[in-house]
């Protein structure tokens, strides 16, 4: 308004801020002329109607600098004291604007006007923020108080002595490990999150072999310490296990045949045949090996007139391929006690099946 | 940028002359060689394929989206086309439509295109999460951190300066300058991870010296978070008693 009254402005409109723009235009034309020439101060494009003394003032470089410096001060103070200006408790922003308005009255050149524009932009930003603050006042949400309450929710164990040590006025105390987990679990309910994809049971891993090996080793260890003699025996047996059985069976067949052909009419008592009065275990082995003969159809067992079991080799012609319909199974068991009874009953003094030449025991 | 898009859209054949655009634009642009086929093109494409083929392709896309969604970063259409759809791209609209159906009817999830310009999708749940779910499947502690920030922004009208958020978090023993026991580099989690997941927006405030930022809710938060439930929880927290 003051600007228009001076009449120094070419466009001469009433509204002050519009003047600012057109003033810049006018000033620009003038500035373009004297850009390299501020000392000389030749601002001849200015409208010729302004009085001479005013023209001098307008062109005075010191004055120009002063105005620009004042603008810069205002801009700095706005930037530095931004928080202060935003506070709804004061009107500092309004003061700044009034100050700027006063300054603007003396703006002549583009440089000053540019600074004015910059200040205006800052001021409007602040104004916008202040306005948004006005809106928020009604809800009265205090984040600091919210934080305190949240700490309680998290299960903060407040210790009263610690209060003075803590910085920033925050609560002292011990926050439990699962504090954030607690908040997260409760907060998750507010979200409609899609569950994250993951495999249910993880990848398949075959882990069975190692445990088995371990168990086996463990079993072997006590065996080694307990009887040092036994392993060597067992090893021998295992090595030629198959062969030993076959050989033994054949050997026994040999005995059976030779006894039978010595006296074909006289039946061979089964128990006399298999029992070794000197060794129970060998008797059991004999029974075991003899059973193979019967299974393979090379020997037959029958009951004689006294209902006592007898054994006889089967002649070649008698052998029926693929099993006979009159074949029967029986199970023979023997215990040391019955073994002794048999020895007594049959009066067995020496084994009919001699022990094999290779000794098992040393 | 809009001119380039127009140019590629007017090409009738999808691959004609588009290779040079790929070289120019690089990876972070929507794949310009993919132009949305017209309905008639889609129909023609469908006619040439068996239903089994289309179903298989649909299933592959569903699985791809599931795996991509694990980190909760949005899924780009360009990636779907490049890695899964491939030569079936001429029926892409039909496939994506079926994929959406599968998600809804089989899994109760919703595939949402949150950015129709850059063609980026997220997966959200159509169903509400029950109370017992959090007991059986403990959630990520980061959800707690996110909740705090979202609450502050919400209660302060939708926009908040970052300084207010950091100050509040400091009271909760979370400092952007220090490595947190649970969250690690907190500043990165909040300003990078949450932003990439579209839970938050971290926007520069213009004309600030030094540089300042403000937080807003992100698109994912807008879709996933129930404001009513959030308020309920905030109210519940307010009722927690303070000593003295």
């Amino acid at each position: 308004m003051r600007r228009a009254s001076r009449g120094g402005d070419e466009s001469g409109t009433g509204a002050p801020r519009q003047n600012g723009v057109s003033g810049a235009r006018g000033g620009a034309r003038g500035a373009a002329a004297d850009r390299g020439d501020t000392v000389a101060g030749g601002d001849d494009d200015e409208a010729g109607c302004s009085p001479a003394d005013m023209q001098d003032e307008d062109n005075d470089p010191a004055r120009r600098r002063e105005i620009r410096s004042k603008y810069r001060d205002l801009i700095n103070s706005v930037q530095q004291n931004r928080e202060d200006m935003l506070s709804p408790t004061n009107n500092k922003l309004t003061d700044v604007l009034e100050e700027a308005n006063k300054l603007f009255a003396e703006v002549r050149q583009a440089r000053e006007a540019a600074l004015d524009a910059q200040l205006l932009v800052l001021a409007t930003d602040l104004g916008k923020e202040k306005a948004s603050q006005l809106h928020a006042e009604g809800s009265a949400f205090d984040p600091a108080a919210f934080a305190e309450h949240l700490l309680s929710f998290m299960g903060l164990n407040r210790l009263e002595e610690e209060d003075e040590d803590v910085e920033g006025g925050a609560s002292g105390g011990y926050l439990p490990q699962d504090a954030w987990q607690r908040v997260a679990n409760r907060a998750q309910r507010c979200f409609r999150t899609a569950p994250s994809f993951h495999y249910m049971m993880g990848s398949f891993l075959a882990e069975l072999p190692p445990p088995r090996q371990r168990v086996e080793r463990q079993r072997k260890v006590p065996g080694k310490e307990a009887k040092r003699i036994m392993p060597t025996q067992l090893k021998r047996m295992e090595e030629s296990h198959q062969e030993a059985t076959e050989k033994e069976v054949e050997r026994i067949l040999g005995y059976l045949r030779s006894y039978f052909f010595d006296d074909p009419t006289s039946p061979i008592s089964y128990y006399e045949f298999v029992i070794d009065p000197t060794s129970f275990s060998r008797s059991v082995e004999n029974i075991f090996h003899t059973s193979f003969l019967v299974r393979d159809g090379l020997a037959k067992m029958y009951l004689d007139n006294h209902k006592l079991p007898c054994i006889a080799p089967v002649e070649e012609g008698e052998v029926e391929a693929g099993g006979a319909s009159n074949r029967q199974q029986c199970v023979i068991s023997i215990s040391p006690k019955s073994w002794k009874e048999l020895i007594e009953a049959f009066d067995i003094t020496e084994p009919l099946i001699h022990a094999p030449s290779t000794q098992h025991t040393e | 940028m809009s001119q380039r898009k127009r140019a590629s859209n007017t090409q009738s054949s999808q691959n004609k002359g588009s290779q040079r655009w790929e070289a120019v634009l690089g990876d972070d642009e929507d794949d310009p060689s993919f132009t949305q086929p017209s309905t008639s093109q889609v129909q023609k494409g469908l006619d040439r394929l068996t239903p089994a083929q289309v179903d298989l392709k649909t299933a592959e896309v569903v699985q791809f989206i599931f795996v991509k969604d694990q980190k909760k970063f949005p899924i780009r259409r360009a990636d779907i086309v490049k890695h899964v759809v491939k030569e079936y791209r001429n029926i892409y609209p039909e496939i994506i439509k079926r994929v959406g159906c599968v998600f809804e009817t089989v899994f109760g999830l919703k595939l949402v295109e949150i950015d129709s310009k850059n063609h980026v999708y997220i997966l959200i749940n159509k169903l509400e999460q029950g109370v017992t779910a959090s007991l059986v499947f403990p959630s990520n502690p980061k959800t707690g951190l996110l909740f705090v920030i979202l609450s502050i922004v919400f209660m302060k009208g939708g926009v908040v300066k970052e300084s207010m958020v950091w100050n509040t978090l400091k009271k909760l023993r979370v400092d952007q300058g220090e490595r947190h026991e649970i969250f690690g580099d907190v500043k990165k989690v909040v300003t990078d991870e949450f932003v990439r997941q579209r839970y938050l927006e971290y926007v520069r405030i213009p004309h600030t010296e030094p540089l300042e930022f403000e937080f807003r809710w992100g698109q994912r938060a807008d879709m996933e978070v129930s404001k009513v439930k959030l308020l309920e929880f905030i109210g519940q927290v307010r009722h927690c008693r303070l000593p003295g």
Side-chain angles (χ1 to χ4, degrees):
Chain A
M1 279 177 285
R2 288 173 209 149
R3 199 79 174 83
S5 66
R6 281 236 183 129
D9 183 22
E10 280 139 7
S11 35
T13 51
R17 279 304 157 194
Q18 284 171 352
N19 268 359
V21 175
S22 47
R25 265 188 258 130
R29 273 177 246 142
D34 76 42
R35 194 160 290 149
D37 205 14
T38 41
V39 180
D43 197 1
D44 296 319
D45 286 1
E46 198 82 54
C49 55
S50 54
D53 55 339
M54 279 193 178
Q55 204 169 29
D56 287 340
E57 199 187 280
D58 290 348
N59 297 341
D60 177 18
R63 186 88 185 107
R64 300 296 107 218
R65 274 196 291 274
E66 201 186 319
I67 291 181
R68 288 199 294 271
S69 150
K70 280 190 183 165
Y71 263 122
R72 286 196 200 99
D73 288 341
L74 266 180
I75 288 170
N76 278 335
S77 86
V78 169
Q79 283 178 330
Q80 301 299 333
N81 302 317
R82 193 190 164 89
E83 291 297 329
D84 206 17
M85 303 246 165
L86 278 177
S87 166
T89 54
N90 61 44
N91 284 325
K92 285 192 179 162
L93 187 59
T94 322
D95 296 339
V96 162
L97 282 171
E98 285 185 354
E99 189 66 41
N101 213 13
K102 281 188 212 153
L103 267 181
F104 185 73
E106 305 179 33
V107 163
R108 294 287 176 279
Q109 295 171 2
R111 289 162 76 172
E112 297 138 33
L115 284 170
D116 179 78
Q118 190 183 344
L119 180 62
L120 186 60
V121 168
L122 276 177
T124 27
D125 268 342
L126 276 177
K128 183 191 96 180
E129 277 207 48
K130 274 197 105 169
S132 64
Q133 268 186 0
L134 279 172
H135 169 76
E137 281 298 296
S139 62
F141 176 74
D142 180 13
F146 177 64
E148 288 294 313
H149 282 106
L150 196 62
L151 284 170
S152 294
F153 180 85
M154 286 170 160
L156 178 77
N157 185 6
R158 290 183 169 88
L159 308 166
E160 291 179 17
E161 310 109 55
E162 303 244 11
D163 275 355
E164 294 148 38
D165 299 324
V166 185
E167 51 189 86
S171 286
Y174 173 72
L175 201 64
Q177 286 279 58
D178 69 340
W180 282 105
Q181 189 65 58
R182 257 190 244 196
V183 180
N185 285 347
R186 176 60 184 87
Q188 188 67 52
R189 277 197 258 161
C190 308
F191 291 80
R192 275 187 291 266
T193 334
S196 280
F197 171 83
H198 61 273
Y199 293 103
M200 281 175 73
M201 301 303 284
S203 55
F204 178 80
L205 204 69
E207 282 179 356
L208 212 45
R212 273 194 193 155
Q213 283 168 16
R214 278 180 225 140
V215 169
E216 280 181 279
R217 279 185 215 132
Q218 280 167 11
R219 280 186 192 157
K220 277 178 187 170
V221 168
K224 271 186 187 166
E225 289 176 22
K227 291 179 186 176
R228 284 178 198 173
I229 300 166
M230 283 307 289
T232 41
Q233 286 180 339
L234 291 165
K235 269 186 193 169
R236 281 194 189 177
M237 262 197 73
E238 276 184 280
E239 278 164 22
S240 54
H241 192 73
Q242 277 293 80
E243 291 176 343
T245 312
E246 283 172 17
K247 275 189 188 161
E248 199 54 23
V249 170
E250 274 191 43
R251 203 169 65 87
I252 289 172
L253 182 61
Y255 274 116
L256 184 64
R257 284 204 173 129
S258 65
Y259 287 135
F260 185 76
F261 289 132
D262 280 347
D263 189 359
T265 54
S266 160
I268 306 166
S269 161
Y270 175 73
Y271 283 115
E272 278 187 42
F273 182 63
V274 293
I275 286 182
D276 181 338
T278 60
S279 164
F280 171 71
S281 54
R282 221 169 287 134
S283 307
V284 174
E285 278 175 27
N286 293 336
I287 296 173
F288 172 65
H289 292 128
T290 319
S291 69
F292 279 91
L293 288 174
V294 178
R295 180 198 74 173
D296 293 338
L298 296 167
K300 61 181 176 186
M301 280 175 67
Y302 60 94
L303 296 176
D304 67 0
N305 303 336
H306 303 283
K307 300 279 184 193
L308 295 170
C310 295
I311 186 167
V314 170
E315 285 162 48
E316 284 187 29
E318 290 181 55
V319 175
E320 293 160 24
S325 51
N326 56 352
R327 266 202 186 174
Q328 286 164 343
Q329 289 183 4
C330 86
V331 177
I332 298 175
S333 63
I334 188 167
S335 68
K337 184 173 168 228
S338 47
W339 171 66
K340 284 187 182 148
E341 285 170 3
L342 283 165
I343 290 170
E344 273 189 53
F346 286 96
D347 195 21
I348 304 167
T349 49
E350 58 172 34
L352 281 180
I353 301 171
H354 294 121
S357 48
T358 50
Q359 294 291 321
H360 284 291
T361 50
E362 303 198 63
Chain B
M1 186 160 100
S2 57
Q3 282 180 335
R4 275 187 234 131
K5 280 251 155 81
R6 244 184 280 135
S8 60
N9 276 335
T10 51
Q11 288 167 12
S12 51
S13 157
Q14 286 140 21
N15 289 320
K16 203 203 296 179
S18 55
Q19 263 66 27
R20 57 193 164 94
W21 292 123
E22 272 180 8
V24 167
L25 294 169
D27 274 0
D28 56 341
E29 279 275 335
D30 181 28
D31 180 13
S33 71
F34 181 71
T35 59
Q36 191 85 330
S38 68
T39 345
S40 57
Q41 280 179 310
V42 170
Q43 194 50 56
K44 271 193 223 158
L46 277 174
D47 291 339
R48 283 193 223 121
L49 300 164
T50 67
Q53 284 172 308
V54 182
D55 283 343
L56 181 63
K57 201 44 84 172
T58 307
E60 284 175 13
V61 174
V62 168
Q63 194 166 23
F64 179 79
I65 291 176
F66 261 132
V67 176
K68 274 282 203 173
D69 182 63
Q70 283 175 322
K71 284 202 176 159
K72 299 295 169 193
F73 295 147
I75 306 144
R76 303 190 316 156
R77 179 179 80 175
D79 288 338
I80 299 176
V81 172
K82 181 173 158 196
H83 296 292
V84 189
V85 174
K86 295 188 204 174
E87 69 276 12
Y88 286 58
R89 50 176 70 184
N90 56 336
I91 55 162
Y92 179 81
E94 179 63 24
I95 292 181
I96 210 68
K97 193 173 102 187
R98 293 187 189 204
V99 164
C101 273
V102 169
F103 275 124
E104 287 203 20
T105 55
V106 178
F107 298 101
L109 304 173
K110 205 164 167 205
L111 185 69
V112 183
E113 189 174 33
I114 53 169
D115 188 341
S116 54
K117 184 172 148 235
N118 293 320
H119 302 289
V120 139
Y121 301 97
I122 58 167
L123 253 189
I124 57 170
N125 210 330
K126 282 185 78 180
L127 307 167
E128 303 291 333
Q129 188 150 66
V131 180
T132 46
S134 55
L135 299 170
V136 179
F137 304 109
S139 23
N140 190 339
K142 283 184 189 167
T143 310
L145 180 64
L146 179 64
F147 156 76
V148 172
I149 301 172
L150 287 176
S151 304
I152 299 170
V153 174
F154 178 57
M155 296 302 282
K156 281 296 192 184
V159 188
V160 137
K161 282 214 287 193
E162 68 171 316
S163 54
M164 174 166 283
V165 170
W166 297 124
N167 288 339
T168 317
L169 285 178
K170 211 163 189 167
K171 294 199 161 58
L172 297 169
R173 322 278 174 90
V174 177
D175 192 334
Q176 61 168 321
E178 288 169 13
R179 189 165 179 85
H180 192 265
E181 211 176 15
I182 301 172
F183 304 122
D185 182 350
V186 182
K187 189 162 165 89
K188 183 156 183 238
V189 170
V190 173
T191 60
D192 181 51
E193 194 178 317
F194 286 161
V195 173
R196 283 180 71 189
Q197 292 174 331
R198 311 295 172 104
Y199 277 118
L200 290 176
E201 273 181 22
Y202 187 58
V203 178
R204 236 195 83 194
I205 306 177
H207 312 297
T208 49
E209 193 67 44
L211 212 59
E212 280 179 42
F213 287 83
E214 58 192 19
F215 283 111
R216 294 161 193 260
W217 276 32
Q219 294 152 306
R220 189 189 282 269
D222 286 331
M223 309 216 77
E224 277 191 17
V225 181
S226 156
K227 295 194 166 127
V228 169
K229 292 198 174 173
L230 193 75
L231 270 176
E232 274 175 9
F233 185 18
I234 295 173
Q236 194 180 336
V237 167
R238 294 276 210 102
H239 280 111
C240 282
R241 286 203 277 133
L242 295 175

